[in-house]
Amino acid sequence: MILAINGGDKLRTAPFPAYNTIGAEEEEAVLRVLRSGKLSTYLGTWHDDFYGGPEVRALEREWGEYFGVKHAISVNSATSGLYAAVGACGISPGDEVIVSAYTMSASATAALVYGAIPVFADIEEEYYCLDVNSIESKITPCTKAIIVVDIFGQPYDRDAINALAKKHNLFVIEDAAQAPGAMLDGKFAGTLGDIGIYSLNYHKHIHSGEGGIIVTDNDALAHKLRLIRNHAEAVLSAKGIEDKSELINMVGFNYRMTEIEAAIAREQLKKLPDLLTQRLANTHYFNEKLAQIPCIIPTKIRPYSKHAFYVHPLQFDEKTAGMHRNRFIDAVKAELPPTLLREESAVLLSYGYVKPLYLQPLYQERIAFGRDGYPFSLSDVTYPKGLCPVTENMHYNRLITHEFMRPGMTQNDMNDVVHAFEKVWKNREELL
Ligand SMILES: *Cc1c(COP(=O)(O)O)cnc(C)c1O
């Protein structure tokens, strides 16, 4: 049999079904808001509506109840949520923030927007989250926070990292954008550090188009987060706050979510448990089937935790395969069709995830704000190639990620994916 990459027939050409969680419930919710005429109720002055309208507040109440957390604060994206979190922690120019090198770019730019310096630490070989052993040597007197990421839906190493943070008096900001519903020891990911952030963008488990939710049990942080969300500088004096230090990091943001997004998010939250159950069942199936291919190493899940599988990570064993991962994966991709609604991403299978962040031009050139290299000019921190060897090896040689486990895929659809891997394995001689 000739592999598709060598000109043979594709194993499948009909596109895979879309992951579309939007239905009659969301439609009704949007109409309810449209009919009310109130598409947002926020006021950026001191008033009851400083905290948003009825849908926004209901979403926050319901989110807080579901995740078992005192404060849920809606924002217009998880990126905004990360920025607000860094601001609320009082992080200042020249401070250092330790962050995973293997994450979406906003986990690190959150430090930069406040003039702080991202210090990249390496990831765990098995779980891809920030490795506590890589953090300690990076802590300096300038370090103020650790931004942990529940990457791919796996909760971070809470016990070890929180203990280290406590010892050095650091905030833990948990980027749980990829992990709504993941758990560690019976507690939800997102609620494991001082502040957690979820994303409601189109590509996440549940979404409102764009949106994010910040959670915390800390009243003082919650107060600051709500101020940052809505032009704090305009209301601080109205609130009778005399302490001018309250103004720190409170300047001029609008991170407010609209009533329409909040109404959609409320319906989506109701669907999360079922969507997650299906996603986990599908991932389990793939993990078992693909592990039977000798060069594929299945996912490990951290003890006492529940993974949310934003993507399904696997590892590739080059020695067993006799070829580089990219060659093998290119051949599998050639066998498969795109997925509806995501046609632009072609086949939802990748080698690696995103380039290790410090290799982006932003860090390599040390250019962010203005002509003089601010804030990098405040610091001696450098970003050499090889800085995080595990991350680089995962990205360039070992890690495979796919999204074929998203609800909507039938048993037949999933089997086609498995058969594509099997076909390439059986005919691997053609690739050598
Ligand atoms: C998606 C994502 C974000 C950003 O979410 P937005 O809502 O698009 O701003 C941040 N961190 C991680 C890990 C993400 O996956």
Side-chain angles (χ1 to χ4, degrees):
M1 194 181 295
I2 300 169
L3 291 172
I5 199 171
N6 288 336
D9 289 337
K10 276 175 171 302
L11 188 126
R12 167 170 172 154
T13 52
F16 287 123
Y19 177 60
N20 187 356
T21 60
I22 301 296
E25 304 80 5
E26 286 78 7
E27 201 176 314
E28 192 47 49
V30 168
L31 289 174
R32 173 175 80 228
V33 175
L34 284 177
R35 287 179 187 132
S36 78
K38 290 189 172 183
L39 274 50
S40 176
T41 313
Y42 273 109
L43 280 177
T45 55
W46 195 239
H47 184 279
D48 216 33
D49 288 342
F50 180 75
Y51 296 116
E55 297 288 345
V56 159
R57 292 204 212 184
L59 169 64
E60 293 179 345
R61 196 167 53 243
E62 290 157 9
W63 197 279
E65 272 165 23
Y66 185 88
F67 287 93
V69 69
K70 197 165 170 193
H71 303 280
I73 299 157
S74 61
V75 282
N76 56 9
S77 71
T79 301
S80 303
L82 284 158
Y83 291 9
V86 170
C89 291
I91 309 256
S92 297
D95 287 347
E96 291 173 8
V97 174
I98 294 175
V99 59
S100 169
Y102 214 32
T103 174
M104 191 258 165
S105 61
S107 317
T109 51
L112 282 176
V113 293
Y114 285 98
I117 312 296
V119 173
F120 293 101
D122 213 344
I123 59 168
E124 303 164 301
E125 286 220 43
E126 295 182 320
Y127 308 125
Y128 321 115
C129 295
L130 204 49
D131 184 347
V132 70
N133 298 311
S134 171
I135 299 175
E136 188 144 30
S137 65
K138 311 227 170 196
I139 295 175
T140 74
C142 296
T143 311
K144 292 289 152 52
I146 304 172
I147 298 181
V148 293
V149 185
D150 301 319
I151 197 74
F152 310 147
Q154 176 100 267
Y156 76 99
D157 186 4
R158 177 197 60 179
D159 291 349
I161 292 180
N162 285 14
L164 189 64
K166 193 163 181 218
K167 181 172 151 198
H168 295 275
N169 199 20
L170 309 175
F171 287 102
V172 175
I173 297 171
E174 182 182 10
D175 179 347
Q178 300 186 357
M183 300 189 99
L184 183 87
D185 259 344
K187 274 199 87 182
F188 280 108
T191 70
L192 306 174
D194 294 298
I195 301 180
I197 297 101
Y198 303 95
S199 173
L200 291 167
N201 94 27
Y202 178 58
H203 299 288
K204 298 301 177 357
H205 293 67
I206 56 171
H207 77 96
S208 49
E210 303 287 351
I213 311 273
I214 316 170
V215 293
T216 183
D217 281 328
N218 181 312
D219 295 340
L221 288 174
H223 169 66
K224 287 191 176 181
L225 289 163
R226 292 192 175 100
L227 287 170
I228 290 171
R229 170 173 68 179
N230 191 7
H231 289 289
E233 82 284 357
V235 300
L236 274 171
S237 58
K239 282 209 70 195
I241 291 164
E242 296 304 324
D243 181 0
K244 301 229 171 39
S245 71
E246 277 271 351
L247 265 169
I248 288 172
N249 292 353
M250 297 285 168
V251 179
F253 296 101
N254 173 351
Y255 291 157
R256 306 175 315 209
M257 180 185 265
T258 70
E259 289 287 284
I260 290 180
E261 289 160 340
I264 296 171
R266 291 177 68 193
E267 295 305 324
Q268 289 275 292
L269 178 59
K270 292 182 203 159
K271 296 181 177 180
L272 179 61
D274 269 356
L275 288 170
L276 206 53
T277 303
Q278 287 176 55
R279 189 179 279 257
L280 295 190
N282 292 354
T283 310
H284 185 72
Y285 184 76
F286 276 125
N287 218 32
E288 295 221 310
K289 292 286 175 191
L290 295 178
Q292 287 165 27
I293 296 168
C295 61
I296 305 286
I297 302 161
T299 310
K300 286 203 181 130
I301 298 176
R302 195 185 302 288
Y304 308 109
S305 69
K306 176 179 168 181
H307 203 300
F309 288 111
Y310 172 62
V311 301
H312 179 202
L314 296 157
Q315 284 187 35
F316 187 81
D317 181 1
E318 181 171 343
K319 246 199 199 128
T320 306
M323 74 188 87
H324 191 263
R325 173 199 63 183
N326 297 7
R327 179 89 174 123
F328 190 93
I329 293 301
D330 281 340
V332 177
K333 287 175 77 157
E335 300 293 338
L336 293 171
T339 295
L340 293 173
L341 287 184
R342 286 285 298 280
E343 291 89 343
E344 75 291 351
S345 308
V347 181
L348 298 185
L349 167 67
S350 315
Y351 24 86
Y353 170 54
V354 292
K355 188 162 152 175
L357 289 185
Y358 55 87
L359 297 178
Q360 291 181 343
L362 169 66
Y363 303 101
Q364 290 299 302
E365 305 300 326
R366 296 166 66 90
I367 296 173
F369 298 104
R371 282 178 224 93
D372 302 328
Y374 176 87
F376 299 107
S377 50
L378 306 176
S379 162
D380 298 328
V381 171
T382 56
Y383 304 101
K385 197 166 182 322
L387 180 65
C388 298
V390 179
T391 302
E392 289 189 22
N393 191 30
M394 282 304 151
H395 185 67
Y396 292 108
N397 302 312
R398 290 189 66 87
L399 189 74
I400 301 169
T401 56
H402 76 83
E403 297 177 60
F404 295 118
M405 70 298 168
R406 299 187 307 171
M409 290 283 281
T410 66
Q411 194 69 41
N412 272 339
D413 296 328
M414 292 196 287
N415 284 337
D416 282 344
V417 174
V418 173
H419 292 152
F421 274 88
E422 288 169 352
K423 179 179 170 188
V424 172
W425 170 256
K426 283 190 195 123
N427 297 283
R428 64 190 179 283
E429 300 282 301
E430 279 185 42
L431 299 172
L432 302 178

